[in-house]
Amino acid sequence: MTATSEPLVSMQGLKKHFDVSPPWLNRMLERKPRLHLRAVDGLDLEIPRGTTFSLVGESGCGKSTVARLVVGLYAPTAGSIRFEGTDLTDRPAGDPPAIRRRMQMIFQDPYASLNPRWRVRDIIAEPLKCFGMLPDRASEDREVGRLLELVGMNSQDGEKYPHEFSGGQRQRISIARAISSKPDFLVCDEPTSALDVSVQAQILNLMKELQRELGLTYLFISHDLAVVHFMSDFIGVMYLGRIVETGPARQVFANPQHPYTRLLLDTIPDITMARRDREPVAGEVPNPIDPPPGCAFHPRCPFSDARCRSELPELRNAPSGARTACHAVAEGRLADGPVRAVPSTPAQMPT
Amino acid sequence: MLAFIVRRLLQAVLVMLAVALIAFAMFRFVGDPVNSMLPEIATTEDRQALRAQLGLDEPIPTQFAKFIGGAVQGEFGISYRNKRPVSDLIVERLPATLELVFAAALFALLMGVPMGVYTALNRHGFVSNLLQIISLIGISVPTFVTGILLILIFSVWLNWLPSFGRGEVVQLGWWSTGLLTISGLKSLVLPSVMLGLFQVTLIMRLVRAEMLEVLRTDFIRFARARGLTDRAVHFGHALRNTLMPVITIAGLQLGSMIAFAIITETVFQWPGMGLLFIQAVSFADIPVMSAYLVLVALIFVVINMIVDLLYFVVDPRLSVGGDRA
Amino acid sequence: MSADAPSRFAVLLDSDFVYSFRKSRVTLIATLVTVSIIMAALLAPWIAPHDPFDVATLSLLDSELPPAWAEGGDPHFLLGTDNQGRDVLSAILYGSRISLAVGFVSVFFALVAGVAVGLISGYFGGLVDAIFMRIADVMLSFPTILVALLVSGIVRGALPREMHENAALAVLVFAIAITTWVQYARTVRGSTMVERGQEYVLAARLVGRSSASIIFRHILPNVMGPVLVIATINLAMAILIEATLSFLGVGMPPTNPSLGTLIRVGNEYLFSGIWWVVIFPSLTLVVLVLAVNLMGDWLRDALNPKLR
Amino acid sequence: MKQSGPLLEVRDLSVVFDTRRGPLTAVDRISFDLSPGEILGVVGESGAGKSLTGTAITGLLERPGRIGGGEIRFEGNRIDNLPPEQMRRLRGRRIGAIFQDPLTSLNPLFTVGRQLVETIQTHLDLGREQARQRALELLAEVGIPAPEKRIDHYPHQFSGGMRQRVVIALALCANPKLVIADEPTTALDVSIQAQILAVLKKLCREHGAAVILVTHDMGVIAETADRVAVMYSGRIAEIGPAAQVVKAPRHPYTEGLMGSIPVIGTGADRLTQIEGSMPRLTDIPAGCAFHPRCPCARADCAAVRPEPRPVGDGKVACVLYDGGGI
Amino acid sequence: AAKTLRMADSTDIAAMDPHSMTESNTIGFLNHVYEGLVRYNDELQVEPALAASWEFVDPTRVRFHLREGVTFHNGNPFTADDVVASINRAADDSSPVKSNLPGVASIEKVDDLTVDLVLKGTDPIVLNYLTNIYILDKEWMDKHDALLPSDIRAGKENHAVANSNGTGPFMLESRQPEAKTVLVANPNWWDTPKHNLSRIEFSPIASDATRIAALLSGELDFITPAPLQDIERINGSEGTSVIEGPELRTIMLGFNYGDTLHDSNLTDANPLQDLRVRQALNMAIDMDLIQKKVMRGKSRNAGLLVAPPVPGYDAALDERSPADPAAAKALLAEAGYPDGFEVGFDCPNDRYVNDEEICQAVTAMWARIGVKAALNAQTKSKHFEKVLAGTSDIYMVGWATLPMLDSYSVLSALLHTKSDRMGAWNPGGYSNPKIDELTDKVAVELDQAMRTAMMSEALGLAKDDVAIISLHQQPLAWAVRDGVNLKVTADNKPRLWYATVD
Ligand SMILES: Nc1ncnc2c1ncn2[C@@H]1O[C@H](COP(=O)(O)OP(=O)(O)OP(=O)(O)O)[C@@H](O)[C@H]1O
Ligand SMILES: Nc1ncnc2c1ncn2[C@@H]1O[C@H](COP(=O)(O)OP(=O)(O)OP(=O)(O)O)[C@@H](O)[C@H]1O
Ligand SMILES: [Mg+2]
Ligand SMILES: [Mg+2]
């Protein structure tokens, strides 16, 4: 975990608002205003070279949107994205090729991310072709074979179609495609959440190996805290389009500050906690079209007060070394609440 | 919902304009009405005079403007052939066509839906396969051939049903109905079978496909898991959920049945709008033709609108107040 | 994952698709029938005993002969002759040629236009989509048969006179295509909107592929399944629409008859005992349409993985 | 709260799919018992046969699937060969089921109340009003606030978590003795997941129903189940008390499975991984289905299929324990 | 006993107003309700009707003595005022019927039962015209604001279109357009009924097959027309038979006499201007074969442009020489077209008996002498539009000479050089000064013998010139149930006041 000082990827004040207004006519007649869904609402982020930065958060908090913004599939509403200092803010995916070649993506769904009508070799070779990286078909074949073996498959598998492979194998093919253009930076949007745990282990191990061997930098997205814990050097916890807590992974896990982070850590089912009755969290994830004023988490937060309801907290350095956006943390209101600390030793079984 | 209706209305205007344009364009190409209005021995002079009288020698934009102006008020002038206001002619024929189409639609639904349900529930049964193939024949035989064969069998050979016309009709205000007399009902049988046969197949296949789709859904599995009776599952849940697409298609088909009625009415001399239209075509009776086109388009638009509104009735997800808690 | 994989052909033969085809006897027969009719139509100039369109060879003396096996039949005319002395068998062969041509060509044009519109609408959305879909709504808001009737009426009238003879076919094709492209467009648009968001498309965008390239190389192959099904059904429909238009007098001329025209003309002889003039073309039409429909049916099921 | 005699006995149950290439055995001679009030977790990879086991018990197998052998006894009576109508009476009345996706489990066109009343009236001899009353009670019981207001809402007016509660209420309509819950929380957010599991557990405690909880989330099992069955390739590899299976897995597969779960607090740089993937139904290896991937495989693994042997408080199907345990 | 006759025709009557259209089937049917001053009997002879007698006061003034004691169906007495109002109505500028009254200058009432018809010039066939001009009740028209026929331009409906008040043998009981029109016998008819009908139920049935089916199934007693190919079947069925006779209508092929053809490979010449070419085309047509096969022996081949009952007909000229393709080919070669040429050929497909079939057969016969005719068969409204626009090379027309029933009709409309009032049906531009001269004389010649001679002469000239190819008089075939006694009249108008039902 050798983090250099200069980040490979950085985002400043990144925003993405989706226009989800009803059609013009409805707005006219029903006098409804335009509606904007703030999927990402002001995100500052730096990812040091050679590290894994993970984003966690509940469904719909904007993780995938960040991923797509980074690779250029969405144009940001505001803010900037830089890669090695080059501004990519308004460049679409694939442009400029010299830089986009160096950032690729692994998708969540191993079934949807491979074109069912294409042979595996063509799928893997597509980036090579598009970025014009290899002179002829023979060297392309060789490269595809090499990549397949790199991800633990047989070089002959290139002649088959995706449906002939299991989910785990498909995800390996996705990875082979993603690394075929020799990227430095990989965005992984829940790459294992569609897979079984045993296959997940294979893929996570593979990703770690590849990172070591190829010096990759990951933006890793997941809602599974255990997986994130396993993979990351740095972690950002998102809630409703904003980062509420960020810092080195170990610190965040060892000493979560933000109430939401604590809640997340508390609610993950844990095999070490047999027959535990988890305290269910009250409330539901609020609607991003109409987020609560002030701190978006306040309706579910046991520590919220008047300030939380009105004033948006900034990300501030917390005593733990992480940065937290929470008034309660900043004010030190937050004693040891009903949140669970990470046990250092497995708890004893009840008999 | 209001926005929805307004959108549909705008669309309807679009459709009607397009149709008006087509109808007007037809004026120029259906033949010269003057020739069929005058006796053979009429002189060239007479013909020119009549042409001028009908306004056929005016510039085309003027003619179009007049046409649209009249159409907007529902006025299409006087039939060249029958010398009666076209609106009267249409009103006179409308009941016949509508009764025919609704009888055919009813026939199609009463046959098609049960057959579709049956074939969906017994997907691999012999009877199902047979029904499937027989129904295909239903859409493979041109309707005019079916019509003639029906006449041959049921009128000429068996002498059971009349071969033409509407039988005795009863006047209810401006509406003339054949539904209240025995001979009217008997007369309705063959034409509505001919017109509905195609739709039977269509609806049966649609219901079957949708039903199969619905039967695979989780909520049907869950309904079974709750121990509901097959009846409740198939007819309470599955059938109800197949209704949406059936409504759409049935609605669209109702419109095309009005158009297809042209053929049925020709074969059975059913005194409806289709027959009026076909006669008008052969006499180049332009006012009647254009009124027919516009009316069919209007009916179509109205049916589509009703279908869309039915959605709001059938599917609670669409209705207003579908607020999420 | 053995190295000596079976040949691709063997794999194909072993696939569920081919299996379901081979298992369905009805489909097999239907395919056989369709192929034979198509072949017979294609080879009509060589296999037809007479050239029914060469008016110089027609003789009224041969008119209204019953089929060869019936009393008074002439072995030269297997299925008998019509009122002009035209060999019914040859007329059917040539007539299927025209019917099939109308079917195939109109389906082809409708398919190309519909798929193109669907892809563009579905992929780009926005204003283009809105415009195309409103046009489609208008088209859908009017019964096919009427549109076809009107279009053929207008086009016929608008075309210069000398083109009429040859135009009949083109007019029919145009009239049918213009009323059926909407189905393709709608279907393709729907699937394109789904595919557009699929991750494999995103992956292609990541490497900078152009929209055109994504549409054609990635999306098109994935939306063609339902299109094929519609195409078969529409092939049958087109042949029938042509026949129906013939009945209304705007089909192919009797000098160049399609199956529909043959039936229309023959229809007038139904009561007069000259049954062969109407029965044989009708049978051919019904069998052809039925066979094509059966194939479409099977294709629909075979391409629907959920129905396995 | 153990009673004498198991509520459910499954003996050598097989589920077979008849395909054109011959029958495929998706569930292969599995046996287990379930006592009243007990929660049995069933875990295993996707395709291991977990759902089919549940489906077979509820008698909802659809063609081309069928029960290929063995027997299922419910309260001592065989139910695998019951005529459909009798089985239907059992379903919902004595055996409830909950499926994975609350979004699709409810008919979108009917109000929640109507679906509840319909189910209640199918099984209990209640009038419309009484049934509605019971429906309201059920909704309250599963934690839906203001049930009398919500009962006439349509499913789309509920959130995912609420819908799953409704589904649970539907499954519990007639106080079934056995509830089969097939991945009831997979489609839900972690925070909601906890709520649902809590509801489920509470209801079982109060109604005394036994539960078969199908999932592939080991965490859920560990927290919820009394006993766990680990399935692999249609067979039960190991079954035993949850604590034992999770903490001290005996079967090499269970061991691998547990090892591959990342756990917060362990600083391992690499997860234990089982090489290869689960075989397809078409080519399940002879002998022990797991042997090609097994780190402890022996020569005879490929030859003999190991039968479940009692090991500790549970049973393990592995040659390592054929000798009668370690 | 009450006798009902249920009949069907291929087209419905257009309207009840006899001055609103000139369709011959409608005019024929309306003759049961309305009557003219004179009428044709079933031998197509002019006989007195509402006028008991008439005389030429001078060559341009005819005096009609009206029948006494006639009443309209509503009971109004029939008087000279009705005649004056009716003739004025028919001759009004807005009336399409005025073309059927070309020579009338005015009508004058002399006394209550006498009127004078003033002509523009001498008109030998004015009575023939008048058979078609029906008399309406003035009082009734007055009351219903129907003194003029409906004016399409003004978009105003006319009461007479849907209602009737005539003097005829039958009275309108009810009418559902396109479905059923019911007439009942008029008990107060001035004439002695020869029919025994109490009721006529008329239904239009457009589809031939359906019409025959309805006859065969016993739903109808009488249908017009019966398609030729079905005659055998009808005669073969128990209880039905076909009644036939020749029609007045002569079917012919007209030519384009312009300098170029419209649809041809030749762009600089019109072979049809050459008499030899026209002769060749005529000779190539084997009418005997067509008569036997297409017309099933029912038609009457014609060498002349008019049928035998028409004054001016000359049996000597009517001979049609047998087909001779070889000679035809030789003539073509002589004219400079040894390989033939291409030419447009227009036909209606819904106007005459087997029109399209005849054209197909002719096309085949011409093909054998090398003339490639591009046959364009289409619906009548489009066919006649094209023909009258003068854009057709060879076209089919049929001419029955009605309502004149006189060869002058053919001479003036078809053969006379085209001008405002003459040659309306001479779009090809045929012009023969001799024929023009004869035609102009015939128009005013009152001596019947001289007139007839001149007409025969003109027709002979046209024949020699092959100005128009005459093909045949088409057959009329009606079908009846047994027990219906009716005579086929050559003008294709059933006269049911002669019909009896057993
Ligand atoms: N193209 C879009 N148009 C409108 N809204 C969108 C679009 N894409 C995403 N959203 C909305 O933006 C919000 C964030 O979505 P996003 O997919 O980034 O969430 P996520 O954290 O990745 O969730 P998950 O864990 O379910 O994948 C959601 O409310 C989603 O509905
Ligand atoms: N209709 C079917 N035809 C053939 N095989 C089937 C069918 N349904 C299920 N199977 C097979 O049966 C096996 C067991 O399926 P089952 O649904 O029980 O797995 P599962 O353990 O519940 O998996 P998941 O975790 O994905 O739900 C799988 O291999 C599956 O492919
Ligand atoms: Mg996401
Ligand atoms: Mg499952």
Side-chain angles (χ1 to χ4, degrees), chain A residues 107 109 112 115 117 126, chain C residues 198-200 205 209 218 222:
Chain A
F107 296 93
D109 186 347
N115 188 336
R117 315 262 155 189
E126 192 179 22
Chain C
Q198 292 283 319
E199 293 176 344
Y200 73 87
R205 283 173 59 192
R209 268 196 187 265
H218 282 281
N222 283 302

Side-chain angles (χ1 to χ4, degrees), chain B residues 28-32 35-47 49 52-55 58 66 77-85 88-89 92-93 148 151-152 155-157 159 161-164 167-169 266-271 275-276 279 281-284, chain E residues 11-15 20-23 94 96 98-100 129 150-153 155-157 161-162 176-180 203-207 209-210 213-214 216-217 219-220 233 249 350-351 379-382 384-385 388 398-399 402-404 409 418-421 424-425:
Chain B
R28 342 232 76 251
F29 305 119
V30 287
D32 187 351
N35 291 328
S36 47
M37 293 173 73
L38 289 177
E40 283 171 350
I41 55 166
T43 61
T44 315
E45 207 176 27
D46 293 343
R47 289 170 205 271
Q53 200 202 340
L54 295 179
E58 286 171 15
K66 284 190 179 167
I78 299 265
S79 155
Y80 291 171
R81 178 165 185 258
N82 303 92
K83 303 298 184 302
R84 298 185 49 209
D88 288 6
L89 286 174
E92 208 168 83
R93 307 301 182 83
I148 302 276
I151 291 182
L152 196 61
S155 301
V156 177
W157 291 349
N159 230 323
L161 295 165
S163 56
F164 75 98
E168 291 296 318
V169 293
T266 311
V267 170
F268 286 96
Q269 192 63 32
W270 190 264
L275 200 59
L276 182 70
Q279 302 267 312
V281 170
S282 79
F283 284 92
Chain E
T11 31
D12 195 13
I13 55 173
S20 71
M21 43 70 242
T22 60
E23 269 173 44
S94 65
K98 74 168 194 281
S99 307
N100 277 342
Y129 284 122
S150 46
D151 183 350
I152 292 191
R153 197 81 203 268
K156 211 175 110 246
E157 199 188 358
V161 163
Q176 298 156 22
E178 220 62 68
K180 194 186 263 183
S203 307
I205 301 181
S207 156
T210 311
L216 295 178
S217 68
E219 294 164 76
L220 293 174
R233 165 76 194 257
R249 193 174 302 279
D350 50 2
R351 180 67 184 94
T379 178
K380 55 183 179 255
S381 59
K382 302 186 76 173
F384 289 122
E385 178 183 30
L388 287 177
W399 208 256
L402 290 169
M404 286 184 238
S409 166
K418 199 167 165 57
S419 71
D420 265 358
R421 301 210 57 86
W425 282 84

Side-chain angles (χ1 to χ4, degrees), chain B residues 93-134:
Chain B
R93 307 301 182 83
L94 194 62
T97 297
L98 289 186
E99 284 185 1
L100 171 64
V101 166
F102 281 108
L106 203 65
F107 166 72
L109 283 174
L110 291 183
M111 297 283 293
V113 172
M115 276 163 68
V117 170
Y118 179 85
T119 47
L121 294 181
N122 310 285
R123 195 146 79 86
H124 298 282
F126 174 75
V127 181
S128 290
N129 287 335
L130 198 70
L131 275 180
Q132 284 265 91
I133 293 185
I134 291 179

Side-chain angles (χ1 to χ4, degrees), chain A residues 71-276:
Chain A
V71 293
L73 287 171
Y74 288 154
T77 311
S80 69
I81 302 167
R82 291 171 169 273
F83 184 83
E84 269 188 344
T86 316
D87 192 0
L88 291 178
T89 309
D90 288 317
R91 302 287 195 125
D95 179 67
I99 291 180
R100 290 297 189 189
R101 171 186 78 69
R102 294 173 52 204
M103 46 204 309
Q104 282 298 318
M105 186 156 175
I106 302 170
F107 296 93
Q108 165 178 3
D109 186 347
Y111 292 87
S113 58
L114 305 178
N115 188 336
R117 315 262 155 189
W118 280 31
R119 280 178 203 288
V120 166
R121 74 162 300 287
D122 294 322
I123 293 174
I124 295 178
E126 192 179 22
L128 297 173
K129 274 213 190 71
C130 287
F131 291 123
M133 296 176 66
L134 287 174
D136 53 33
R137 190 162 167 108
S139 49
E140 207 179 277
D141 278 339
R142 267 197 308 281
E143 180 64 11
V144 169
R146 189 185 72 81
L147 286 164
L148 278 170
E149 274 162 22
L150 191 65
V151 297
M153 293 180 64
N154 194 313
S155 57
Q156 261 121 45
D157 288 344
E159 289 308 309
K160 297 188 181 168
Y161 286 93
H163 72 260
E164 298 175 59
F165 296 97
S166 70
Q169 290 169 323
R170 282 159 181 256
Q171 203 56 308
R172 285 166 194 265
I173 296 169
S174 288
I175 294 175
R177 168 176 62 188
I179 61 174
S180 69
S181 63
K182 303 207 169 13
D184 298 313
F185 177 56
L186 277 186
V187 177
C188 318
D189 189 358
E190 313 204 17
T192 58
S193 65
L195 301 172
D196 283 316
V197 270
S198 63
V199 182
Q200 167 175 288
Q202 294 174 356
I203 298 294
L204 292 180
N205 284 339
L206 172 67
M207 287 179 62
K208 274 208 153 180
E209 275 159 32
L210 289 174
Q211 181 170 44
R212 259 196 303 275
E213 282 168 32
L214 307 175
L216 294 172
T217 307
Y218 288 135
L219 173 60
F220 189 90
I221 293 175
S222 177
H223 55 242
D224 186 336
L225 282 166
V227 168
V228 164
H229 176 265
F230 172 73
M231 285 297 289
S232 350
D233 302 309
F234 300 96
I235 185 171
V237 181
M238 281 185 79
Y239 190 76
L240 226 57
R242 295 173 158 270
I243 287 193
V244 293
E245 179 157 8
T246 178
R250 249 180 308 177
Q251 272 163 33
V252 174
F253 276 101
N255 193 4
Q257 293 294 306
H258 196 284
Y260 177 63
T261 316
R262 298 185 188 193
L263 181 144
L264 272 187
L265 281 169
D266 193 41
T267 51
I268 47 168
D270 190 333
I271 59 164
T272 57
M273 305 291 285
R275 298 249 42 186
R276 172 173 65 100

